[in-house]
Amino acid sequence: MNVLIVYGTTEGQTRKVAEWTANHVRECGHQAELRDSAAPVSDLDFETYDAFIIAASVHQECHQETVINLVIAHLEVLETKPSAFISVSLSAVLEGGRTEAQEYVDRLITMTGWKPRMALLLGGALRFSEYDYFQEQIVKFIVMKRSAAASKERDREFTDWHALASFVDRFLEAAV
């Protein structure tokens, strides 16, 4: 099976998730091509792929516009072949945040009309070492008031790699 994995990322965690996913798909004996939604995709023929995994992170309560535009542009193919969506956000791991994380996915589905066969809410990362002063203040205000785990002001990854592996395995099994 030939799987196209497209990602949108702001701080890099979703790229890491997509790279891991592509490697896992290959380890399972399939072909995988990895593409950044911000890069030109005019040379991609979506019809040549058997399945799709799209990953996007949430920032300012929305997924990347490049991912939304890609989904809209290729909706017909995405609807006729197996497709899955991975939504990467801190809301997915914050206390009481799963409902909010699901609302971001629901909003993307409403905006695009896409109905992926599977969706995963996956935790992102905090990168204090890369934030400027204003980003750090926003993180402290929004995130830290909802999670004691983020209170140490150090870089921290919240991605559940076992949940991602299980999700990808289930998707590949169902897509064959």
Side-chain angles (χ1 to χ4, degrees), residues 23-89:
N23 288 332
H24 189 72
V25 167
R26 291 180 193 115
E27 289 169 1
C28 291
H30 303 283
Q31 295 175 324
E33 183 169 349
L34 182 65
R35 289 292 186 105
D36 184 341
S37 65
V41 292
S42 59
D43 63 327
L44 277 181
D45 180 2
F46 275 62
E47 292 288 343
T48 63
Y49 297 94
D50 302 307
F52 305 92
I53 299 174
I54 298 177
S57 61
V58 175
H59 281 270
Q60 298 178 354
E61 300 184 356
C62 293
H63 292 95
Q64 281 81 12
E65 187 175 338
T66 56
V67 170
I68 292 167
N69 292 340
L70 180 130
V71 168
I72 291 169
H74 300 284
L75 182 60
E76 187 175 318
V77 176
L78 291 172
E79 287 292 302
T80 59
K81 296 186 179 187
S83 64
F85 183 57
I86 301 169
S87 178
V88 180
S89 69

Side-chain angles (χ1 to χ4, degrees), residues 131-151:
Y131 298 156
D132 64 24
Y133 174 79
F134 294 106
Q135 288 171 313
E136 185 176 324
Q137 296 309 307
I138 290 169
V139 168
K140 285 179 182 177
F141 179 74
I142 295 172
V143 177
M144 294 172 65
K145 71 179 181 177
R146 293 173 52 188
S147 174
S151 64

